[in-house]
Amino acid sequence: MERSVVLLRGINVGKAKRIGMGPLREALTARGYAEVATHLQSGNVVLGTDRGQEDLAADVRACIAEEFGHDVPVVVRSAAELADVVVAGPVALPAGTELDPARYLVTFLPVVPDAAAVAAVPAAGPGEGAWALRGRDLHLWLPDGVLATPVGGWAWDRLLGTTGTGRNWTTVTRVAAMAAG
């Protein structure tokens, strides 16, 4: 049985799509997943399963729709894939810049974006932040925060042609540690 990381997009943001982590853990355990654990209220789940990533994402999405009445995009990574993200480190951090883990985001995408779409994304200008794509992971350096750094406001879903879910570096490293056991 493999440890998998399930990342939910857009839950518990304000009053929208409220899902308690306790009931979510119970619902996933009832569906046969092992050692279900969560981190924070933002939809970071670690669990054991033999399902493939696409099947797992579809089943968790169905579970949330059935149990909580919300249609929530789900992205899955293996524990090993998340560990690789952490080992590679912040790939979009400009040289000589000190990492502020709250201002460095990784957006986990369900698929590798089309190469032509990626090639069409402009480079960030001075003071706009920075971005780098590594496989299915979009790394964003947002020195002035998500809302105040221009790169943070780019329509990444439209630019890349796929919808992902972002986590700051602190959350990425903590969930990776959970997944590692």
Side-chain angles (χ1 to χ4, degrees), residues 134-154:
R134 187 163 219 225
R136 297 183 295 161
D137 305 323
L138 173 64
H139 293 249
L140 300 172
W141 171 238
L142 307 167
D144 298 319
V146 174
L147 299 176
T149 304
V151 167
W154 290 6

Side-chain angles (χ1 to χ4, degrees), residues 15-79:
K15 294 181 181 180
K17 297 185 182 175
R18 303 297 301 170
I19 299 174
M21 293 300 100
L24 178 61
R25 287 189 300 272
E26 291 170 10
L28 293 172
T29 299
R31 281 177 103 87
Y33 297 109
E35 301 176 18
V36 179
T38 56
H39 177 66
L40 301 174
Q41 295 294 314
S42 55
N44 306 293
V45 183
V46 176
L47 51 76
T49 185
D50 290 326
R51 289 180 185 251
Q53 289 186 7
E54 285 183 30
D55 185 35
L56 175 57
D59 188 58
V60 171
R61 190 171 191 161
C63 174
I64 291 169
E66 293 164 15
E67 298 290 328
F68 304 98
H70 303 304
D71 183 24
V72 175
V74 177
V75 177
V76 175
R77 293 291 187 272
S78 69

Side-chain angles (χ1 to χ4, degrees), residues 77 81 85 91 106-115 118 131-139 160 162:
R77 293 291 187 272
E81 287 172 321
V85 170
V91 297
V106 180
T107 299
F108 297 95
L109 307 169
V111 297
V112 174
D114 179 72
V118 175
W131 70 273
L133 183 69
R134 187 163 219 225
R136 297 183 295 161
D137 305 323
L138 173 64
H139 293 249
L160 297 178
T162 186

